[in-house]
Amino acid sequence: QRIWKSAHVLPIAQQLTVGLAGASVVCDFGSLEMRLADRLGTSPVQRVRAFLCHSDQVPFLLGIEDLLTDASLVCDHAARVAHLDFP
């Protein structure tokens, strides 16, 4: 919750139970703006729908459809490399 609690979220649904890797977590579902950042750079602002979990152990689950609307997912399994390319 600490990661997204101060974000401006447009709520879509509340108190959903979502299954994840054999466990379940309670989440709210909403739309928010975010950036992805790593040691190489920061993405443009992205509007995504996400499950905003009520636990800091699993803080949020991003909707892959929204994230990949403007980005390309590049995977080279043999080289063990994956990244997102933004326009």
Side-chain angles (χ1 to χ4, degrees):
Q1 277 183 315
R2 285 177 277 160
I3 288 176
W4 59 265
K5 196 165 188 161
S6 63
H8 176 69
V9 177
L10 300 174
I12 297 171
Q14 294 182 329
Q15 297 291 321
L16 302 172
T17 301
V18 177
L20 174 68
S24 61
V25 292
V26 177
C27 305
D28 295 336
F29 186 66
S31 175
L32 66 142
E33 290 184 338
M34 58 164 272
R35 291 179 188 263
L36 296 174
D38 66 10
R39 59 185 168 79
L40 300 177
T42 302
S43 75
V45 172
Q46 303 288 312
R47 175 156 291 280
V48 297
R49 290 170 288 179
F51 290 97
L52 307 168
C53 302
H54 294 195
S55 165
D56 286 330
Q57 292 177 319
V58 181
F60 59 89
L61 305 170
L62 297 176
I64 194 76
E65 177 184 354
D66 293 337
L67 190 59
L68 294 179
T69 298
D70 295 322
S72 298
L73 174 61
V74 179
C75 294
D76 183 344
H77 185 72
R80 300 178 131 190
V81 173
H83 64 271
L84 293 171
D85 281 338
F86 293 92

Coordinates of all heavy atoms in Angstrom, one line a residue:
Q1 N 0.8 -1.2 0.0 CA 0.0 0.0 0.0 C 0.9 1.3 0.0 O 0.5 2.2 -0.6 CB -0.9 0.0 1.2 CG -2.2 -0.8 1.0 CD -3.0 -0.6 2.3 OE1 -2.6 -0.7 3.4 NE2 -4.3 -0.4 2.1
R2 N 2.0 1.2 0.6 CA 2.8 2.4 0.7 C 3.2 2.9 -0.6 O 3.4 4.1 -0.8 CB 4.1 2.1 1.6 CG 3.8 2.1 3.1 CD 5.0 1.7 3.8 NE 5.1 0.3 3.8 CZ 6.2 -0.4 4.0 NH1 7.3 0.2 4.3 NH2 6.3 -1.7 4.0
I3 N 3.4 2.0 -1.6 CA 3.9 2.4 -2.9 C 2.8 3.3 -3.6 O 3.1 4.3 -4.2 CB 4.3 1.2 -3.8 CG1 5.6 0.6 -3.2 CG2 4.4 1.6 -5.2 CD1 6.0 -0.6 -3.9
W4 N 1.6 2.9 -3.6 CA 0.6 3.6 -4.3 C -0.4 4.4 -3.5 O -1.2 5.1 -4.1 CB -0.2 2.5 -5.2 CG -0.9 1.5 -4.4 CD1 -0.4 0.2 -4.1 CD2 -2.2 1.6 -3.7 NE1 -1.3 -0.5 -3.3 CE2 -2.4 0.3 -3.1 CE3 -3.2 2.6 -3.6 CZ2 -3.6 0.1 -2.4 CZ3 -4.3 2.3 -2.9 CH2 -4.5 1.1 -2.3
K5 N -0.3 4.4 -2.2 CA -1.3 5.1 -1.3 C -1.4 6.6 -1.6 O -2.5 7.1 -1.6 CB -0.9 4.8 0.1 CG -2.1 5.2 1.0 CD -1.9 4.6 2.4 CE -3.2 4.8 3.2 NZ -3.3 4.0 4.3
S6 N -0.3 7.2 -2.0 CA -0.3 8.7 -2.2 C -0.6 9.0 -3.7 O -0.7 10.2 -4.1 CB 1.0 9.3 -1.8 OG 2.0 8.8 -2.6
A7 N -0.8 8.0 -4.5 CA -1.1 8.2 -6.0 C -2.5 8.6 -6.2 O -3.4 8.3 -5.4 CB -0.8 6.9 -6.8
H8 N -2.8 9.4 -7.2 CA -4.1 9.8 -7.6 C -4.7 8.6 -8.4 O -4.3 8.4 -9.5 CB -4.2 11.0 -8.4 CG -5.5 11.4 -8.9 ND1 -6.5 11.8 -8.0 CD2 -6.1 11.4 -10.1 CE1 -7.6 12.1 -8.7 NE2 -7.4 11.8 -9.9
V9 N -5.6 7.8 -7.8 CA -6.2 6.7 -8.4 C -7.7 6.9 -8.8 O -8.4 7.4 -7.9 CB -6.1 5.4 -7.5 CG1 -6.8 4.2 -8.1 CG2 -4.7 5.2 -7.1
L10 N -8.0 6.6 -10.0 CA -9.4 6.7 -10.4 C -10.0 5.3 -10.1 O -9.7 4.3 -10.8 CB -9.6 7.0 -11.9 CG -9.0 8.4 -12.3 CD1 -9.1 8.5 -13.8 CD2 -9.8 9.5 -11.6
P11 N -10.8 5.1 -9.0 CA -11.3 3.8 -8.7 C -12.3 3.2 -9.7 O -13.1 3.9 -10.3 CB -12.0 4.0 -7.3 CG -12.2 5.5 -7.2 CD -11.3 6.2 -8.2
I12 N -12.1 1.9 -9.9 CA -13.0 1.2 -10.8 C -13.8 0.2 -10.0 O -15.0 0.0 -10.1 CB -12.2 0.5 -11.9 CG1 -11.6 1.6 -12.8 CG2 -13.2 -0.4 -12.7 CD1 -10.6 1.0 -13.8
A13 N -13.1 -0.6 -9.1 CA -13.8 -1.5 -8.2 C -13.0 -1.6 -6.9 O -11.8 -1.4 -6.8 CB -13.9 -2.9 -8.9
Q14 N -13.7 -2.0 -5.8 CA -13.0 -2.1 -4.5 C -13.2 -3.5 -3.9 O -14.2 -4.2 -4.2 CB -13.5 -1.1 -3.6 CG -13.2 0.3 -4.0 CD -13.7 1.4 -3.0 OE1 -14.7 1.2 -2.4 NE2 -12.9 2.5 -3.0
Q15 N -12.3 -3.9 -3.0 CA -12.4 -5.1 -2.2 C -12.5 -6.4 -3.1 O -13.4 -7.2 -2.8 CB -13.5 -5.0 -1.2 CG -13.3 -3.9 -0.2 CD -12.2 -4.2 0.8 OE1 -12.0 -5.3 1.2 NE2 -11.4 -3.2 1.1
L16 N -11.7 -6.5 -4.1 CA -11.7 -7.7 -4.9 C -10.7 -8.7 -4.4 O -9.7 -8.3 -3.9 CB -11.3 -7.4 -6.4 CG -12.2 -6.4 -7.1 CD1 -11.5 -6.0 -8.4 CD2 -13.6 -6.9 -7.3
T17 N -11.0 -10.0 -4.5 CA -10.0 -11.0 -4.1 C -9.5 -11.6 -5.4 O -10.2 -12.1 -6.3 CB -10.7 -12.2 -3.3 OG1 -11.3 -11.6 -2.1 CG2 -9.7 -13.2 -2.9
V18 N -8.1 -11.5 -5.6 CA -7.5 -11.9 -6.8 C -6.5 -13.1 -6.5 O -5.8 -13.0 -5.5 CB -6.6 -10.7 -7.4 CG1 -5.9 -11.1 -8.6 CG2 -7.6 -9.6 -7.6
G19 N -6.6 -14.1 -7.3 CA -5.7 -15.3 -7.1 C -4.3 -15.0 -7.8 O -4.2 -14.4 -8.9
L20 N -3.3 -15.4 -7.1 CA -1.9 -15.1 -7.6 C -1.0 -16.2 -7.1 O -0.8 -16.3 -5.9 CB -1.4 -13.7 -7.0 CG 0.0 -13.4 -7.3 CD1 0.2 -13.1 -8.8 CD2 0.4 -12.1 -6.6
A21 N -0.5 -17.0 -8.0 CA 0.5 -18.1 -7.7 C 0.0 -19.0 -6.5 O 0.8 -19.2 -5.6 CB 1.9 -17.4 -7.4
G22 N -1.2 -19.4 -6.6 CA -1.7 -20.3 -5.6 C -2.2 -19.6 -4.3 O -2.6 -20.3 -3.4
A23 N -2.1 -18.3 -4.2 CA -2.5 -17.6 -3.0 C -3.6 -16.6 -3.5 O -3.8 -16.4 -4.7 CB -1.4 -16.8 -2.4
S24 N -4.2 -15.9 -2.5 CA -5.2 -14.9 -2.9 C -4.8 -13.6 -2.1 O -4.4 -13.7 -1.0 CB -6.6 -15.3 -2.6 OG -6.8 -15.6 -1.3
V25 N -5.1 -12.5 -2.8 CA -4.8 -11.2 -2.1 C -6.1 -10.3 -2.4 O -6.8 -10.4 -3.3 CB -3.6 -10.5 -2.7 CG1 -2.3 -11.2 -2.3 CG2 -3.7 -10.3 -4.2
V26 N -6.3 -9.4 -1.4 CA -7.4 -8.5 -1.5 C -6.9 -7.2 -2.1 O -5.9 -6.7 -1.7 CB -8.1 -8.2 -0.1 CG1 -9.2 -7.1 -0.2 CG2 -8.6 -9.5 0.5
C27 N -7.6 -6.7 -3.2 CA -7.1 -5.5 -3.9 C -8.3 -4.6 -4.3 O -9.5 -5.0 -4.3 CB -6.6 -6.0 -5.3 SG -5.3 -7.2 -5.2
D28 N -8.0 -3.4 -4.5 CA -8.8 -2.5 -5.2 C -8.4 -2.4 -6.7 O -7.2 -2.8 -7.0 CB -8.8 -1.0 -4.6 CG -9.2 -1.0 -3.2 OD1 -10.0 -1.9 -2.8 OD2 -8.8 -0.1 -2.5
F29 N -9.2 -2.1 -7.6 CA -8.9 -2.0 -9.0 C -9.1 -0.5 -9.4 O -10.1 0.0 -9.2 CB -9.7 -3.0 -9.8 CG -9.3 -3.0 -11.3 CD1 -8.1 -3.6 -11.6 CD2 -10.2 -2.6 -12.3 CE1 -7.8 -3.7 -13.0 CE2 -9.9 -2.7 -13.6 CZ -8.6 -3.2 -14.0
G30 N -8.1 0.0 -10.1 CA -8.2 1.4 -10.5 C -7.3 1.8 -11.6 O -6.4 1.0 -12.1
S31 N -7.4 3.0 -12.1 CA -6.5 3.6 -13.1 C -5.7 4.6 -12.5 O -6.1 5.5 -11.7 CB -7.4 4.1 -14.2 OG -6.7 4.8 -15.2
L32 N -4.4 4.6 -12.9 CA -3.5 5.6 -12.4 C -2.3 5.9 -13.4 O -2.1 5.1 -14.3 CB -2.8 5.2 -11.0 CG -1.9 4.0 -11.1 CD1 -0.8 4.2 -10.1 CD2 -2.7 2.7 -10.7
E33 N -1.7 7.0 -13.2 CA -0.5 7.3 -14.0 C 0.8 6.9 -13.3 O 0.9 7.1 -12.1 CB -0.4 8.8 -14.4 CG -1.5 9.2 -15.3 CD -1.4 10.7 -15.7 OE1 -0.8 11.5 -15.0 OE2 -2.0 11.0 -16.8
M34 N 1.7 6.4 -14.0 CA 3.0 5.9 -13.4 C 4.1 6.0 -14.4 O 3.9 6.2 -15.6 CB 2.8 4.5 -13.0 CG 2.4 3.5 -14.1 SD 2.7 1.8 -13.7 CE 4.4 1.6 -14.2
R35 N 5.3 5.9 -13.9 CA 6.5 5.7 -14.7 C 7.3 4.5 -14.2 O 7.2 4.2 -13.1 CB 7.4 6.9 -14.5 CG 6.9 8.2 -15.1 CD 8.0 9.3 -14.8 NE 7.5 10.6 -15.1 CZ 7.7 11.3 -16.2 NH1 8.5 10.7 -17.1 NH2 7.3 12.4 -16.5
L36 N 7.9 3.8 -15.2 CA 8.8 2.8 -14.8 C 10.2 3.3 -14.8 O 10.6 4.1 -15.7 CB 8.7 1.6 -15.8 CG 7.4 0.9 -15.9 CD1 7.4 -0.1 -17.1 CD2 7.1 0.2 -14.7
A37 N 11.0 2.9 -13.8 CA 12.4 3.5 -13.7 C 13.3 2.3 -13.3 O 13.0 1.4 -12.6 CB 12.5 4.6 -12.7
D38 N 14.5 2.4 -13.9 CA 15.6 1.5 -13.5 C 16.9 2.3 -13.6 O 16.9 3.5 -13.8 CB 15.6 0.2 -14.3 CG 15.9 0.4 -15.8 OD1 16.4 1.6 -16.2 OD2 15.8 -0.5 -16.6
R39 N 18.0 1.6 -13.5 CA 19.3 2.3 -13.4 C 19.7 2.9 -14.8 O 20.5 3.8 -14.9 CB 20.4 1.3 -13.0 CG 20.6 0.1 -13.8 CD 21.6 -0.8 -13.2 NE 21.6 -2.1 -13.9 CZ 22.2 -2.4 -15.1 NH1 22.8 -1.4 -15.7 NH2 22.1 -3.6 -15.6
L40 N 19.0 2.5 -15.9 CA 19.3 3.0 -17.2 C 18.4 4.2 -17.6 O 18.7 4.9 -18.6 CB 19.2 1.9 -18.2 CG 20.1 0.7 -18.0 CD1 19.9 -0.4 -19.1 CD2 21.6 1.2 -18.1
G41 N 17.2 4.3 -17.0 CA 16.4 5.4 -17.4 C 15.0 5.4 -16.8 O 14.7 4.5 -16.0
T42 N 14.1 6.3 -17.3 CA 12.8 6.4 -16.8 C 11.9 6.4 -18.0 O 12.1 7.1 -19.0 CB 12.6 7.7 -16.0 OG1 13.5 7.6 -14.9 CG2 11.2 7.8 -15.4
S43 N 10.7 5.7 -18.0 CA 9.8 5.7 -19.1 C 9.0 7.0 -19.1 O 8.9 7.7 -18.1 CB 8.9 4.5 -18.9 OG 7.9 4.7 -17.9
P44 N 8.3 7.2 -20.2 CA 7.3 8.3 -20.2 C 6.2 7.9 -19.3 O 6.0 6.8 -18.9 CB 6.8 8.3 -21.7 CG 7.8 7.5 -22.5 CD 8.4 6.6 -21.5
V45 N 5.4 8.9 -18.9 CA 4.2 8.6 -18.1 C 3.3 7.7 -18.8 O 3.0 7.8 -20.0 CB 3.5 9.9 -17.7 CG1 2.1 9.7 -17.0 CG2 4.3 10.8 -16.9
Q46 N 2.8 6.6 -18.1 CA 1.9 5.6 -18.6 C 0.6 5.7 -17.8 O 0.7 5.7 -16.6 CB 2.5 4.2 -18.5 CG 3.8 4.1 -19.2 CD 3.7 4.1 -20.7 OE1 2.9 3.4 -21.2 NE2 4.5 4.9 -21.3
R47 N -0.5 5.6 -18.4 CA -1.8 5.4 -17.7 C -2.1 4.0 -17.8 O -2.2 3.4 -18.9 CB -2.9 6.3 -18.3 CG -4.3 5.9 -17.6 CD -5.3 7.0 -17.6 NE -5.0 8.2 -16.8 CZ -5.1 8.3 -15.5 NH1 -5.6 7.3 -14.8 NH2 -4.8 9.4 -14.9
V48 N -2.2 3.3 -16.6 CA -2.5 1.9 -16.6 C -3.6 1.6 -15.6 O -3.8 2.3 -14.6 CB -1.2 1.1 -16.1 CG1 -0.1 1.3 -17.1 CG2 -0.8 1.5 -14.8
R49 N -4.3 0.5 -15.8 CA -5.2 -0.1 -14.8 C -4.4 -1.1 -14.0 O -3.6 -1.8 -14.6 CB -6.4 -0.8 -15.5 CG -7.3 0.3 -16.2 CD -8.3 -0.4 -17.1 NE -7.6 -0.9 -18.3 CZ -8.1 -1.6 -19.3 NH1 -9.4 -1.8 -19.2 NH2 -7.4 -1.9 -20.3
A50 N -4.6 -1.1 -12.7 CA -3.8 -2.0 -11.9 C -4.7 -2.5 -10.7 O -5.6 -1.8 -10.3 CB -2.6 -1.2 -11.3
F51 N -4.3 -3.6 -10.2 CA -4.9 -4.1 -8.9 C -4.0 -3.6 -7.8 O -2.8 -3.8 -7.8 CB -4.9 -5.7 -8.9 CG -5.9 -6.3 -9.8 CD1 -5.5 -6.7 -11.1 CD2 -7.2 -6.4 -9.5 CE1 -6.4 -7.3 -11.9 CE2 -8.1 -7.0 -10.3 CZ -7.7 -7.4 -11.6
L52 N -4.6 -2.8 -7.0 CA -3.8 -2.1 -5.9 C -4.1 -2.9 -4.6 O -5.1 -2.8 -4.0 CB -4.3 -0.7 -5.8 CG -4.2 0.1 -7.1 CD1 -5.0 1.4 -7.0 CD2 -2.8 0.3 -7.5
C53 N -3.1 -3.7 -4.3 CA -3.3 -4.7 -3.2 C -3.2 -4.1 -1.8 O -2.6 -3.1 -1.6 CB -2.3 -5.8 -3.4 SG -2.4 -6.6 -5.0
H54 N -3.9 -4.7 -0.9 CA -4.0 -4.2 0.5 C -2.8 -4.7 1.3 O -2.9 -4.8 2.5 CB -5.3 -4.6 1.1 CG -6.5 -4.0 0.5 ND1 -7.7 -4.0 1.1 CD2 -6.6 -3.3 -0.7 CE1 -8.6 -3.3 0.3 NE2 -7.9 -2.9 -0.8
S55 N -1.7 -5.2 0.7 CA -0.6 -5.7 1.4 C 0.7 -5.2 0.8 O 0.8 -5.0 -0.5 CB -0.6 -7.2 1.2 OG 0.6 -7.8 1.6
D56 N 1.7 -4.9 1.6 CA 2.9 -4.4 1.1 C 3.8 -5.6 0.5 O 4.8 -5.4 -0.2 CB 3.7 -3.6 2.1 CG 3.2 -2.3 2.4 OD1 2.6 -1.7 1.5 OD2 3.3 -1.8 3.5
Q57 N 3.4 -6.8 0.8 CA 4.1 -8.0 0.3 C 3.9 -8.1 -1.2 O 4.7 -8.5 -1.9 CB 3.7 -9.2 1.0 CG 4.2 -9.2 2.5 CD 3.7 -10.5 3.2 OE1 2.6 -10.9 3.0 NE2 4.6 -11.0 4.0
V58 N 2.7 -7.7 -1.6 CA 2.3 -7.7 -3.1 C 1.6 -6.4 -3.2 O 0.4 -6.3 -3.1 CB 1.4 -8.8 -3.5 CG1 1.0 -8.8 -4.9 CG2 1.9 -10.2 -3.1
P59 N 2.4 -5.3 -3.5 CA 1.8 -3.9 -3.5 C 0.8 -3.7 -4.6 O -0.2 -3.0 -4.5 CB 3.0 -3.0 -3.5 CG 4.1 -3.8 -4.0 CD 3.8 -5.2 -3.7
F60 N 1.1 -4.1 -5.8 CA 0.2 -3.9 -7.0 C 0.5 -4.9 -8.1 O 1.6 -5.5 -8.2 CB 0.3 -2.5 -7.5 CG 1.7 -2.1 -8.0 CD1 2.1 -2.3 -9.3 CD2 2.6 -1.5 -7.1 CE1 3.4 -2.0 -9.7 CE2 3.9 -1.2 -7.5 CZ 4.3 -1.4 -8.8
L61 N -0.5 -5.1 -8.9 CA -0.4 -6.0 -10.1 C -0.8 -5.1 -11.3 O -1.9 -4.6 -11.4 CB -1.3 -7.2 -10.0 CG -1.1 -8.0 -8.8 CD1 -2.3 -9.0 -8.7 CD2 0.2 -8.7 -8.8
L62 N 0.2 -4.9 -12.2 CA -0.1 -4.1 -13.4 C -0.8 -4.8 -14.5 O -0.6 -6.0 -14.7 CB 1.2 -3.5 -14.0 CG 2.0 -2.6 -13.1 CD1 3.3 -2.3 -13.7 CD2 1.3 -1.4 -12.7
G63 N -1.7 -4.1 -15.2 CA -2.4 -4.7 -16.3 C -1.4 -4.7 -17.5 O -1.0 -3.6 -18.0
I64 N -1.0 -5.8 -18.0 CA 0.0 -5.9 -19.1 C -0.6 -5.3 -20.4 O 0.2 -4.7 -21.1 CB 0.4 -7.4 -19.3 CG1 1.7 -7.4 -20.2 CG2 -0.7 -8.2 -19.9 CD1 2.9 -7.0 -19.4
E65 N -1.9 -5.4 -20.6 CA -2.5 -4.8 -21.8 C -2.2 -3.3 -21.8 O -1.8 -2.7 -22.9 CB -3.9 -5.1 -21.9 CG -4.6 -4.4 -23.1 CD -6.1 -4.7 -23.1 OE1 -6.6 -5.4 -22.2 OE2 -6.8 -4.1 -23.9
D66 N -2.5 -2.6 -20.8 CA -2.3 -1.2 -20.7 C -0.8 -0.8 -20.9 O -0.4 0.2 -21.5 CB -2.8 -0.6 -19.4 CG -4.3 -0.7 -19.3 OD1 -5.0 -0.8 -20.3 OD2 -4.8 -0.6 -18.2
L67 N 0.1 -1.5 -20.2 CA 1.5 -1.2 -20.2 C 2.1 -1.4 -21.6 O 2.9 -0.7 -22.0 CB 2.2 -2.1 -19.2 CG 3.7 -1.8 -19.0 CD1 3.8 -0.4 -18.4 CD2 4.3 -2.8 -18.0
L68 N 1.6 -2.4 -22.4 CA 2.1 -2.7 -23.7 C 1.4 -1.9 -24.8 O 1.7 -2.1 -26.0 CB 2.1 -4.2 -24.0 CG 3.1 -5.0 -23.1 CD1 3.0 -6.4 -23.4 CD2 4.5 -4.5 -23.2
T69 N 0.5 -1.1 -24.5 CA -0.2 -0.3 -25.5 C 0.7 0.6 -26.3 O 0.7 0.7 -27.5 CB -1.4 0.5 -24.9 OG1 -2.3 -0.4 -24.3 CG2 -2.1 1.4 -26.0
D70 N 1.6 1.2 -25.6 CA 2.6 2.2 -26.2 C 4.0 1.7 -26.1 O 4.9 2.4 -26.6 CB 2.5 3.5 -25.5 CG 1.2 4.2 -25.7 OD1 0.6 4.1 -26.8 OD2 0.7 4.8 -24.8
A71 N 4.3 0.5 -25.6 CA 5.6 0.0 -25.5 C 5.7 -1.4 -26.2 O 4.7 -2.1 -26.3 CB 6.0 -0.2 -24.0
S72 N 6.9 -1.8 -26.5 CA 7.2 -3.1 -27.1 C 8.0 -3.9 -26.1 O 9.0 -3.4 -25.5 CB 8.0 -3.0 -28.4 OG 7.3 -2.2 -29.4
L73 N 7.5 -5.1 -25.9 CA 8.2 -6.0 -25.0 C 9.3 -6.8 -25.8 O 8.9 -7.5 -26.8 CB 7.3 -7.0 -24.3 CG 7.9 -8.1 -23.5 CD1 8.7 -7.5 -22.3 CD2 6.8 -9.0 -23.0
V74 N 10.5 -6.7 -25.5 CA 11.6 -7.4 -26.2 C 12.2 -8.5 -25.3 O 12.6 -8.2 -24.2 CB 12.7 -6.4 -26.6 CG1 13.8 -7.1 -27.4 CG2 12.1 -5.2 -27.5
C75 N 12.2 -9.7 -25.8 CA 12.7 -10.8 -25.0 C 13.7 -11.6 -25.8 O 13.4 -12.0 -27.0 CB 11.5 -11.8 -24.6 SG 10.4 -11.1 -23.5
D76 N 14.8 -11.9 -25.3 CA 15.8 -12.7 -25.9 C 16.2 -13.8 -24.8 O 17.0 -13.6 -24.0 CB 17.1 -11.9 -26.2 CG 18.1 -12.8 -26.9 OD1 18.1 -14.1 -26.8 OD2 19.1 -12.2 -27.5
H77 N 15.4 -14.9 -24.8 CA 15.5 -15.9 -23.8 C 16.9 -16.5 -23.8 O 17.4 -16.7 -22.7 CB 14.4 -17.0 -24.0 CG 14.4 -18.0 -22.9 ND1 13.9 -17.7 -21.7 CD2 14.8 -19.3 -22.9 CE1 14.1 -18.8 -20.9 NE2 14.6 -19.7 -21.6
A78 N 17.5 -16.7 -24.9 CA 18.8 -17.3 -24.9 C 19.9 -16.4 -24.2 O 20.8 -16.9 -23.5 CB 19.3 -17.6 -26.4
A79 N 19.7 -15.1 -24.4 CA 20.7 -14.2 -23.8 C 20.2 -13.8 -22.3 O 20.9 -13.0 -21.7 CB 20.8 -12.9 -24.6
R80 N 19.0 -14.3 -21.9 CA 18.5 -14.0 -20.6 C 18.3 -12.5 -20.5 O 18.6 -11.9 -19.5 CB 19.3 -14.5 -19.5 CG 19.4 -16.0 -19.6 CD 20.3 -16.5 -18.5 NE 19.5 -17.6 -17.8 CZ 19.9 -18.2 -16.7 NH1 21.0 -17.8 -16.1 NH2 19.2 -19.2 -16.2
V81 N 17.7 -11.8 -21.5 CA 17.5 -10.4 -21.5 C 16.0 -10.1 -21.9 O 15.5 -10.7 -22.8 CB 18.4 -9.7 -22.6 CG1 18.1 -8.2 -22.7 CG2 19.9 -9.9 -22.2
A82 N 15.4 -9.2 -21.2 CA 14.1 -8.7 -21.6 C 14.0 -7.2 -21.2 O 14.6 -6.8 -20.2 CB 13.0 -9.5 -20.9
H83 N 13.3 -6.5 -22.0 CA 13.2 -5.1 -21.7 C 12.0 -4.5 -22.4 O 11.5 -5.1 -23.4 CB 14.4 -4.2 -21.9 CG 14.8 -4.2 -23.4 ND1 15.6 -5.1 -23.9 CD2 14.5 -3.3 -24.4 CE1 15.8 -4.9 -25.2 NE2 15.1 -3.8 -25.5
L84 N 11.5 -3.3 -22.0 CA 10.5 -2.6 -22.7 C 11.1 -1.4 -23.5 O 11.9 -0.7 -23.0 CB 9.4 -2.0 -21.7 CG 8.6 -3.0 -21.0 CD1 7.8 -2.4 -19.9 CD2 7.7 -3.8 -21.9
D85 N 10.6 -1.3 -24.8 CA 11.1 -0.1 -25.6 C 9.9 0.8 -25.7 O 8.8 0.4 -26.1 CB 11.5 -0.6 -27.0 CG 12.9 -1.1 -27.1 OD1 13.7 -0.8 -26.1 OD2 13.2 -1.9 -28.0
F86 N 10.1 2.1 -25.3 CA 9.1 3.1 -25.4 C 9.4 4.0 -26.6 O 10.5 4.3 -26.8 CB 9.0 3.9 -24.1 CG 8.5 3.1 -23.0 CD1 9.4 2.5 -22.1 CD2 7.2 3.0 -22.7 CE1 9.0 1.7 -21.0 CE2 6.7 2.2 -21.6 CZ 7.6 1.6 -20.8
P87 N 8.3 4.5 -27.3 CA 8.6 5.4 -28.4 C 9.2 6.7 -28.0 O 9.1 7.1 -26.9 CB 7.2 5.6 -29.1 CG 6.2 5.0 -28.1 CD 7.0 4.2 -27.1

